[in-house]
Amino acid sequence: MIKRYMQFVKPYKWLIVLTIIIGVLKFGIPLLLPLLIRYVIDDIILADGLSMEDRMNMLIQVLLFFSFIFVIIRPPVEYFRQYLAQWTSNKILYDIRKNLYGHLQMLSAKFYSNSKVGEIISRVINDVEQTKDFIMTGLMNVWLDLVTILIALGIMFALNVELTLVSMIIFPFYIFGVWYFFGKLRRLTRNRSQALAEVQGFLHERIQGINVIKSFAVENNESGRFNKRNNNFLEKAVDHSKWNAKSFAVVNTITDIGPLLVVGYGAFQVINGNLTVGTLAAFVAYLDRLYGPLRRLVSSSTMLTQSIASMDRVFHLFDVKYDVKNRENARELAYTNGDLEFRNVDFSYDEDDNLSALKNINFNVQSGETVAFVGMSGGGKSTLVTLIPRFYDVTDGKVMLDQNDIRDYTTESLRDKIGLVMQDNILFSDTIKENILLAKPDSTEEEIIESAKRANAHDFIMTLPEGYDTEVGERGVKLSGGQKQRIAIARVFLKNPPILILDEATSALDLESESIIQSTLLELSDNRTTIIVAHRLSTITHADKIYVLSGGEISEAGTHSELMKKKGDYYDLYSIQNL
């Protein structure tokens, strides 16, 4: 897993090396302070044979020298080290999110139907951000702390070998403490992250459906359900915190014993005349430089454990397989006549499920024809049309386009030839102009206006405060259902695809809006291969052929007049709606 993560780090390895080199300078400069203490005590304060004037001159000289280092040299070193570390880590996270978003766009509708949006967002935002600690800590600070420890030990050995060995007595206990406590912390961190993602997933769904909650006056019930998930996160967070607190308590106790041993043994040596006061003072100061990085390494272990647990979740998302993907020899679909055929098509949402959504579907649509699919809810109409742009792949059989299996074409080029207008078309929280441009981003202003006019949308757009630059709000909440639908139709006019799919495009509208949009859809479907899914049968009587779906199978087929004469399922549906 870390090897996979390093693929994102690799392009920035030399920046990380430069950051570490500057960091060594940054952390190395404070290591001079204990030597200053030793010099001032032994060579100035306690030195024999020096006059007051000599002592003051020596003190001023050494202070000026150290002031130059800490005031002139250290600040820019600190700045560049922090800047490079933050820039590099943020750029790596940018690359990860960019790749992850690209991966999410390639996943099929099946993945999104089985996943909570809030959990996906949590992984892309929170978990990716959490991996930043691996870069800052694991690739930079850990090495800096280790180098600091080695430099400090080198200087301490030069000052006094025995005292250095005494200060290192705690090292085996420290290593065992880190190994024992932080092994379990990774699992606790993963559980905590999952619980947080569940809270976010629940919250995302409930905020989107807040009007439903209010309409049924079930705020108290929903608060209870939220509290259940929130309490689960609290329990996981407390378990994580308790184990984390235990680990810090034990490891910090171990590192606190070290100074007691050094001070005790060092004082004994001073009393016996084997050690100078300045050397002991410098040694005590170096203990902070030695044990400080050790304590940071403990903290680093915690952060790295959390970071690796987040990596688990990020790469788990990366590892989701593509249900719909291009074949190795798939080719671009440069042009299509729009001749569609379903040949012995079966489809199940779950391959392990024996319940088929579609069974033995056979029909064909000639270029420029309009066919409609009708039937009771749950009959498989919407499922059928999702197979044409390959939102799902057939379980058995083939969907043919111009006598070729649609899987022989790349999904991008196939979908580029299809325009889709649904019952609930999503508008993004952007301007009307940007929402129309989604269909063809390189379009001109004139093309946008022309497509809006053809969709009967231009007039109402011009009545809005900022016209085409009006923000529509999240999911287009500032527009009516009919207005959103006309914006969606304007997109298709702008795209101008040879194949058009209308999935319940007017069923959620009032009669006036439906009348306006129905005439627009008739113009839109002119000279295109058009597939219509409809509940209101009065809107599809003009179709060249009508198919009745029942239980995932075609029960009847024919024109409106032919099906009415048969007095079968279609006749019953039509009669009920006209009653």
Side-chain angles (χ1 to χ4, degrees):
M1 181 179 55
I2 291 175
K3 185 177 180 181
R4 290 178 66 183
Y5 194 86
M6 291 301 292
Q7 294 302 311
F8 292 101
V9 175
K10 192 175 180 180
Y12 307 97
K13 61 182 179 181
W14 294 114
L15 273 175
I16 292 174
V17 170
L18 178 61
T19 304
I20 292 173
I21 292 171
I22 297 175
V24 169
L25 189 58
K26 176 215 165 182
F27 282 93
I29 289 174
L31 292 175
L32 297 174
L33 281 175
L35 294 177
L36 172 63
I37 294 170
R38 177 176 179 270
Y39 176 78
V40 169
I41 293 174
D42 287 348
D43 296 338
I44 298 178
I45 297 175
L46 300 181
D48 296 328
L50 291 177
S51 65
M52 180 63 68
E53 184 178 353
D54 291 337
R55 296 177 197 273
M56 289 303 298
N57 286 335
M58 292 172 67
L59 181 61
I60 291 170
Q61 287 174 7
V62 74
L63 289 178
L64 286 174
F65 174 74
F66 275 87
S67 295
F68 175 79
I69 292 175
F70 282 94
V71 176
I72 304 301
I73 295 177
R74 196 166 188 269
V77 169
E78 176 74 26
Y79 169 80
F80 283 111
R81 190 257 167 189
Q82 287 290 343
Y83 175 78
L84 284 174
Q86 291 294 335
W87 187 91
T88 304
S89 57
N90 286 321
K91 190 65 173 67
I92 291 169
L93 298 194
Y94 166 84
D95 290 346
I96 294 172
R97 287 197 180 101
K98 178 183 175 183
N99 280 268
L100 194 54
Y101 182 66
H103 174 70
L104 288 172
Q105 288 187 305
M106 296 297 293
L107 294 174
S108 70
K110 182 178 180 180
F111 167 78
Y112 291 101
S113 64
N114 294 327
S115 304
K116 290 184 177 179
V117 175
E119 289 195 27
I120 297 171
I121 293 172
S122 176
R123 295 195 186 193
V124 176
I125 303 301
N126 295 343
D127 286 318
V128 171
E129 188 67 27
Q130 194 76 53
T131 66
K132 184 178 182 180
D133 289 329
F134 175 77
I135 306 163
M136 295 289 292
T137 302
L139 299 180
M140 297 180 188
N141 292 350
V142 165
W143 300 110
L144 292 175
D145 285 332
L146 288 173
V147 169
T148 301
I149 290 170
L150 291 175
I151 294 174
L153 284 174
I155 296 172
M156 290 166 72
F157 270 116
L159 292 174
N160 190 286
V161 175
E162 291 182 5
L163 266 182
T164 306
L165 293 174
V166 169
S167 67
M168 293 175 65
I169 289 174
I170 66 162
F171 278 24
F173 302 98
Y174 168 84
I175 293 168
F176 174 78
V178 171
W179 171 82
Y180 175 78
F181 282 100
F182 291 97
K184 185 179 178 181
L185 201 59
R186 179 177 174 183
R187 178 176 59 82
L188 294 174
T189 302
R190 189 186 301 113
N191 293 342
R192 178 181 175 276
S193 297
Q194 179 59 34
L196 178 60
E198 289 173 5
V199 172
Q200 289 179 313
F202 183 89
L203 190 61
H204 184 273
E205 284 186 334
R206 266 46 186 188
I207 289 174
Q208 282 191 320
I210 192 67
N211 287 338
V212 176
I213 294 171
K214 289 181 178 294
S215 67
F216 287 102
V218 290
E219 288 90 344
N220 291 336
N221 182 63
E222 288 300 311
S223 293
R225 296 181 69 184
F226 176 77
N227 289 340
K228 183 178 179 181
R229 286 162 177 78
N230 200 23
N231 188 61
N232 179 54
F233 169 66
L234 176 63
E235 290 176 0
K236 297 296 189 294
V238 168
D239 289 343
H240 179 273
S241 298
K242 282 167 63 177
W243 194 256
N244 202 24
K246 286 179 184 177
S247 63
F248 272 98
V250 171
V251 173
N252 283 338
T253 300
I254 293 171
T255 52
D256 286 339
I257 292 172
L260 295 177
L261 296 174
V262 171
V263 170
Y265 183 78
F268 174 77
Q269 292 288 69
V270 171
I271 291 169
N272 285 281
N274 298 324
L275 192 70
T276 65
V277 175
T279 301
L280 178 60
F283 228 92
V284 172
Y286 273 120
L287 285 180
D288 182 57
R289 300 295 184 271
L290 180 64
Y291 295 142
L294 280 177
R295 287 190 177 94
R296 284 198 298 274
L297 285 175
V298 175
S299 178
S300 297
S301 300
T302 304
M303 288 188 286
L304 285 174
T305 301
Q306 293 172 344
S307 181
I308 290 170
S310 292
M311 273 188 211
D312 276 338
R313 289 167 51 77
V314 169
F315 285 117
H316 183 267
L317 187 54
F318 265 123
D319 289 338
V320 175
K321 302 297 183 185
Y322 299 144
D323 294 312
V324 176
K325 55 186 177 182
N326 292 329
R327 289 176 170 174
E328 287 186 13
N329 58 346
R331 62 184 188 274
E332 294 290 317
L333 177 60
Y335 171 80
T336 176
N337 292 319
D339 295 328
L340 268 172
E341 181 186 357
F342 273 54
R343 190 179 293 173
N344 303 320
V345 167
D346 290 348
F347 175 73
S348 298
Y349 283 100
D350 191 341
E351 292 180 2
D352 299 326
D353 193 350
N354 294 324
L355 185 63
S356 295
L358 296 172
K359 306 167 197 170
N360 195 32
I361 300 296
N362 288 278
F363 70 88
N364 62 76
V365 190
Q366 298 301 313
S367 176
E369 282 189 341
T370 296
V371 301
F373 291 88
V374 301
M376 300 294 286
S377 294
K381 304 182 297 298
S382 293
T383 299
L384 185 146
V385 296
T386 61
L387 300 179
I388 299 171
R390 291 190 69 195
F391 293 160
Y392 298 92
D393 268 340
V394 298
T395 306
D396 198 11
K398 293 180 180 180
V399 179
M400 311 293 287
L401 179 61
D402 299 340
Q403 301 302 311
N404 293 302
D405 191 327
I406 59 171
R407 289 170 292 191
D408 292 336
Y409 302 117
T410 62
T411 53
E412 298 83 0
S413 63
L414 172 67
R415 292 169 185 170
D416 186 54
K417 302 299 183 290
I418 299 171
L420 185 61
V421 182
M422 307 174 72
Q423 176 181 334
D424 183 23
N425 283 283
I426 301 298
L427 298 186
F428 297 109
S429 54
D430 212 323
T431 64
I432 289 175
K433 177 183 175 181
E434 290 297 328
N435 271 285
I436 297 175
L437 271 174
L438 192 67
K440 191 179 175 186
D442 58 350
S443 300
T444 64
E445 191 89 17
E446 292 74 19
E447 289 174 324
I448 296 169
I449 294 172
E450 178 60 26
S451 67
K453 285 179 178 178
R454 295 182 68 188
N456 281 323
H458 178 73
D459 290 341
F460 92 76
I461 292 173
M462 296 311 295
T463 65
L464 298 174
E466 297 178 58
Y468 284 84
D469 293 321
T470 301
E471 298 271 349
V472 301
E474 188 172 4
R475 297 175 68 90
V477 294
K478 295 181 181 178
L479 301 178
S480 70
Q483 289 172 335
K484 285 197 291 184
Q485 207 70 328
R486 279 180 270 175
I487 297 297
I489 293 170
R491 283 176 179 167
V492 181
F493 270 120
L494 186 63
K495 186 177 183 180
N496 194 28
I499 300 171
L500 177 64
I501 298 174
L502 306 175
D503 186 4
E504 308 280 13
T506 63
S507 62
L509 306 177
D510 57 75
L511 291 176
E512 183 179 357
S513 296
E514 182 185 26
S515 176
I516 295 170
I517 288 175
Q518 192 61 39
S519 62
T520 305
L521 291 176
L522 286 173
E523 182 187 346
L524 181 61
S525 61
D526 190 34
N527 294 321
R528 303 176 201 273
T529 300
T530 305
I531 313 292
I532 302 175
V533 172
H535 272 307
R536 295 180 185 171
L537 305 189
S538 59
T539 64
I540 50 91
T541 55
H542 66 285
D544 297 303
K545 202 159 191 180
I546 299 170
Y547 294 91
V548 181
L549 277 176
S550 178
E553 297 180 276
I554 295 176
S555 61
E556 287 184 332
T559 63
H560 170 72
S561 58
E562 289 171 348
L563 292 173
M564 289 299 288
K565 289 176 184 176
K566 283 185 180 180
K567 293 193 175 182
D569 292 342
Y570 180 83
Y571 176 84
D572 292 339
L573 288 170
Y574 194 85
S575 299
I576 290 169
Q577 290 193 7
N578 284 343
L579 189 63

